[in-house]
Amino acid sequence: MRKIVLAGNWKMYKTQAETRSFLQGFLPQINDTPENREIVLCAPFTDLSTLSGSMHGSRIMLGAQNVHWEDAGAFTGEISGPMLLEIGVRYVVIGHSERRQYFGETDETVNKRLKAAQKHGLTPILCVGETKQQRDNGETEAHIFSQLEKDLVEVNQQNLVIAYEPIWAIGTGETCESKEANRVIGLIRSKLSNSNVSIQYGGSVKPDNIDEIMAQPEIDGVLVGGASLEPASFGRIVNYK
Ligand code: 13P
């Protein structure tokens, strides 16, 4: 059975005070959310600490946005698996296009982070996706297959979520057409050894397109940026119809 995973990626947004205010608005909205939907908040590290202290009894799962491959060491600015585990983090976003584009993340470092996350029992959310130029050149499939091949070397597909995030659809308001997202996600699945890996779509997911996206048979969830920052909009997303 493929799990439904609805995750917010807060990126570098929200102070701790803003996080507390988000929770006040969001928690009442998930009282009736069906049990089989996993709700995840991938928040900045400081906010994870706030969330971890104030969410006992809540069904929200905590997710980080990075993890280093070593358990400890001289790696300024990084965070380790044991540090995340200690505060109850369960998921970690790895290989997001913003990290690949701005922070020198490569398929090799993505692979090391994936294996480290799994070593500590964290579930990685591996992001893959093409640029506008790659799509226009007809290179979408080849690019994504190459990412999968390199990123997933020796990665355990029993504890893995993948997010298909076409880069041209991130933060642009331009959603990938849901049938096209479904097609690409089906292709991603065809390359996996475990067909039960949950595969999300990400890129301008909003309250007004979530129902159509989640109606697609290959799509097992979403990774949401901007629309996960407001309690009402993320509430509508996790309560998709
Ligand atoms: P937006 O939902 O803001 O387009 O961001 C998508 C994303 O990058 C999630 O990881």
Side-chain angles (χ1 to χ4, degrees), residues 169-186:
I170 294 178
T172 57
E174 193 180 342
T175 324
C176 180
E177 215 254 310
S178 57
K179 286 204 165 48
E180 172 60 8
N182 188 65
R183 182 187 75 85
V184 176
I185 287 173

Side-chain angles (χ1 to χ4, degrees), residues 9 11 96 98 165 169-171 203-205 223-226:
N9 174 10
K11 308 192 178 184
H96 192 282
E98 287 151 15
E165 297 210 312
I170 294 178
S204 296
V205 174
L223 186 57
V224 188

Side-chain angles (χ1 to χ4, degrees), residues 97 100 107 127-131 134-135 138-151 164-165 167:
S97 59
R100 293 181 193 255
D107 287 314
C127 301
V128 296
E130 80 286 1
T131 62
Q134 287 166 327
R135 174 156 284 263
E139 296 164 2
T140 297
E141 293 80 0
H143 174 67
I144 292 171
F145 293 164
S146 159
Q147 286 185 316
L148 291 172
E149 194 181 328
K150 294 175 188 153
D151 297 352
Y164 168 51
E165 297 210 312
I167 295 170

Side-chain angles (χ1 to χ4, degrees), residues 19-30:
T19 297
R20 283 188 285 271
S21 151
F22 173 91
L23 274 186
Q24 270 190 354
F26 184 65
L27 286 176
Q29 303 204 36
I30 56 173

